[in-house]
Amino acid sequence: MKRVIIAIVIICSGLAVKAQPKVGDMAPAISLPNAKDSMINLSSFKGKVVLIDFWASWCAPCRASNPSIVRLYNKYKAKGFVVMGISLDTEKSAWLKAVAHDKIKFIQVSDLKEWNSPAAEKYGVEQIPNSFLIDKTGKIVAIDLEGKELETKIIQLL
């Protein structure tokens, strides 16, 4: 009986965790401020292929992946590819210093709430980097693709 109760508690506690959206789901709405405090809405990019990239200035793997994302953005932006970088930083100066250092020219937003950002909660972000590729209709078509796989998928969607 004790094992049954423990199993039920474990199952129920797992249900309480907010699930990450899945491939095939519509992308949850995002509205966050950019560095100049202008609100940027994910919905404004409908009709484009969008990579939502959750990252932070203090995250070494995130910083290591930035050059690849910058390269893809520069290569495909004229064809309708957009990157929306969502920083999970708490310090604006650290965030903007990383953006400048990594030569990021694509859209950057942050509410500076780190893991408590409503966007991170909506997307079930528990680790970074974490990315979602969104098609022209607003549907999630891939999660956490990198390198050649990401580029191939972007080409297919454009």
Side-chain angles (χ1 to χ4, degrees):
M1 182 65 168
K2 199 176 205 181
R3 287 183 181 169
V4 172
I5 292 172
I6 292 171
I8 290 171
V9 169
I10 291 170
I11 291 169
C12 290
S13 66
L15 295 175
V17 174
K18 181 136 173 113
Q20 191 174 63
K22 299 178 291 309
V23 170
D25 291 349
M26 293 304 288
I30 296 173
S31 183
L32 289 170
N34 65 12
K36 295 180 180 177
D37 295 324
S38 296
M39 295 304 285
I40 306 296
N41 298 305
L42 176 61
S43 61
S44 66
F45 305 118
K46 195 165 186 174
K48 297 184 181 285
V49 174
V50 181
L51 180 68
I52 300 171
D53 178 43
F54 287 92
W55 75 290
S57 66
W58 45 262
C59 169
C62 301
R63 300 292 298 277
S65 72
N66 278 345
S68 175
I69 296 170
V70 167
R71 182 188 65 76
L72 289 171
Y73 172 73
N74 289 335
K75 189 171 182 179
Y76 296 107
K77 65 183 177 184
K79 295 181 179 180
F81 177 58
V82 174
V83 179
M84 184 177 197
I86 301 176
S87 170
L88 298 186
D89 277 285
T90 56
E91 294 180 29
K92 191 172 188 176
S93 61
W95 165 42
L96 297 179
K97 184 177 178 182
V99 168
H101 182 270
D102 295 356
K103 298 178 176 65
I104 297 173
K105 301 293 184 203
F106 50 80
I107 295 157
Q108 284 291 311
V109 296
S110 183
D111 54 15
L112 302 173
K113 294 181 181 177
E114 202 171 45
W115 300 104
N116 295 316
S117 171
E121 291 173 4
K122 281 182 186 180
Y123 279 79
V125 175
E126 295 178 350
Q127 63 183 26
I128 51 177
N130 193 192
S131 65
F132 298 82
L133 189 61
I134 314 299
D135 72 8
K136 294 177 182 181
T137 68
K139 189 186 309 179
I140 298 171
V141 294
I143 299 172
D144 288 337
L145 285 184
E146 296 176 328
K148 193 64 179 164
E149 288 179 319
L150 176 57
E151 184 168 11
T152 299
K153 192 68 173 174
I154 290 167
I155 292 166
Q156 289 172 357
L157 296 170
L158 290 174

